[in-house]
Amino acid sequence: MRTVILSDLHGEAETLGCMLEELNFDPATEELVVLGDALNYGTSPAETYIALRNLAEQMEKRFVYIRGEHEQMLLDALLLTRGQIANGLLWKQNGGKETLASLQERRLPPGKTALWLKDHTRTWYECQDFIAVHADIADEVIWNNEPETFLWGNRCIEENNYAGKLTVFGHHRVEFPTYLDGSGVESRFHPNYGTWFQLPRTGAIALDTGCGEENGYLTAMIVENGMMRFERI
């Protein structure tokens, strides 16, 4: 089964649709992994939410939505939480204002949107070939990681210190998809777009190339039969 991995859509529904069309993605047979921060900012947060919700309904277990810090901020702002007023201000200052306006324009109840996100996002995902998280990982044994590491961490990309089972993450903008071997030194590999490479067994791959930002774009990682390739829009 082919797996498509996307990261940090940030409310760009048209870009999401173009990428899936470009890849001839088949929701009836393939797997989609979204590495979080799909909402907040962007030109169409509500439409991005609708698109992901529709994919979830079609694909069921083959649709994987990792929770990023932007999803967490939305949940903390819109669901009953300790410090909810402060959480709401933080969310609105980080793209929540645009997301709220977009939801209201489409007459989508923000509370129901938050409940859907709570029920359909997870902080990590593991399959035979890789682990998927939003921001960082410290240990390939999932239970040895703090939840905050998955949402906010940065040691993997800053220190290149993770050499466990291959992990794919977003959150940290990179110019090109970047493989880190975990050696602790400046050892990075930028795979060429459109070329198949052997899927590494260890290390990490950073996938956030700034979708919706100035000079940014959306990168897709395609995994199939022990191989990987990257495409961008």
Side-chain angles (χ1 to χ4, degrees), residues 46-47 99-108:
E47 287 75 10
T99 296
L100 187 60
S102 183
L103 291 172
Q104 291 172 339
E105 182 180 356
R106 292 297 302 269
R107 297 184 179 180
L108 293 168

Side-chain angles (χ1 to χ4, degrees), residues 11-27:
E12 296 294 339
E14 183 176 355
T15 304
L16 167 63
C18 288
M19 176 62 83
L20 296 180
E21 182 177 356
E22 180 71 20
L23 297 176
N24 294 315
F25 180 75
D26 183 0

Side-chain angles (χ1 to χ4, degrees), residues 62-126:
R62 287 176 291 101
F63 175 82
V64 178
Y65 188 173
I66 303 297
R67 184 180 302 176
E69 86 275 12
H70 281 275
E71 283 84 9
Q72 189 63 56
M73 284 191 285
L74 184 153
L75 296 179
D76 291 342
L78 296 180
L79 300 181
L80 185 59
T81 57
R82 186 176 182 179
Q84 190 171 17
I85 294 176
N87 292 334
L89 290 173
L90 178 65
W91 176 55
K92 288 180 180 179
Q93 291 169 357
N94 288 274
K97 183 178 180 180
E98 294 88 338
T99 296
L100 187 60
S102 183
L103 291 172
Q104 291 172 339
E105 182 180 356
R106 292 297 302 269
R107 297 184 179 180
L108 293 168
K112 287 187 177 180
T113 301
L115 287 173
W116 187 90
L117 289 169
K118 180 182 178 182
D119 290 341
H120 290 83
T121 58
R122 60 180 82 180
T123 54
W124 59 273
Y125 168 71
E126 183 173 7

Side-chain angles (χ1 to χ4, degrees), residues 23 36 54 60 67 81 95 104 106 123 130 146 176 185 194 233:
L23 297 176
N54 290 341
E60 298 182 344
R67 184 180 302 176
T81 57
Q104 291 172 339
R106 292 297 302 269
T123 54
F130 60 85
E146 296 292 332
F176 306 104
V185 297
I233 286 182

Side-chain angles (χ1 to χ4, degrees), residues 8-191:
D8 295 75
L9 296 165
H10 283 299
E12 296 294 339
E14 183 176 355
T15 304
L16 167 63
C18 288
M19 176 62 83
L20 296 180
E21 182 177 356
E22 180 71 20
L23 297 176
N24 294 315
F25 180 75
D26 183 0
T29 61
E30 299 181 320
E31 181 181 51
L32 178 65
V33 179
V34 178
L35 299 179
D37 284 6
L39 307 180
N40 291 357
Y41 300 115
T43 58
S44 49
E47 287 75 10
T48 305
Y49 161 68
I50 292 170
L52 295 177
R53 188 181 64 185
N54 290 341
L55 285 166
E57 291 175 358
Q58 294 177 64
M59 300 177 64
E60 298 182 344
K61 292 183 179 180
R62 287 176 291 101
F63 175 82
V64 178
Y65 188 173
I66 303 297
R67 184 180 302 176
E69 86 275 12
H70 281 275
E71 283 84 9
Q72 189 63 56
M73 284 191 285
L74 184 153
L75 296 179
D76 291 342
L78 296 180
L79 300 181
L80 185 59
T81 57
R82 186 176 182 179
Q84 190 171 17
I85 294 176
N87 292 334
L89 290 173
L90 178 65
W91 176 55
K92 288 180 180 179
Q93 291 169 357
N94 288 274
K97 183 178 180 180
E98 294 88 338
T99 296
L100 187 60
S102 183
L103 291 172
Q104 291 172 339
E105 182 180 356
R106 292 297 302 269
R107 297 184 179 180
L108 293 168
K112 287 187 177 180
T113 301
L115 287 173
W116 187 90
L117 289 169
K118 180 182 178 182
D119 290 341
H120 290 83
T121 58
R122 60 180 82 180
T123 54
W124 59 273
Y125 168 71
E126 183 173 7
C127 64
Q128 180 177 344
D129 290 326
F130 60 85
I131 298 170
V133 300
H134 174 63
D136 194 20
I137 189 169
D139 194 311
E140 67 179 1
V141 179
I142 294 297
W143 317 114
N144 291 340
N145 294 272
E146 296 292 332
E148 291 78 10
T149 299
F150 296 143
L151 287 171
W152 302 95
N154 58 16
R155 292 187 63 187
C156 182
I157 193 162
E158 289 191 355
E159 301 179 15
N160 189 17
N161 65 348
Y162 173 77
K165 180 176 178 177
L166 179 66
T167 297
V168 186
F169 65 93
H171 184 63
H172 311 277
R173 180 172 174 177
V174 290
E175 186 176 359
F176 306 104
T178 301
Y179 172 68
L180 301 109
D181 63 4
S183 63
V185 297
E186 187 66 22
S187 178
R188 302 185 176 206
F189 169 63
H190 302 290

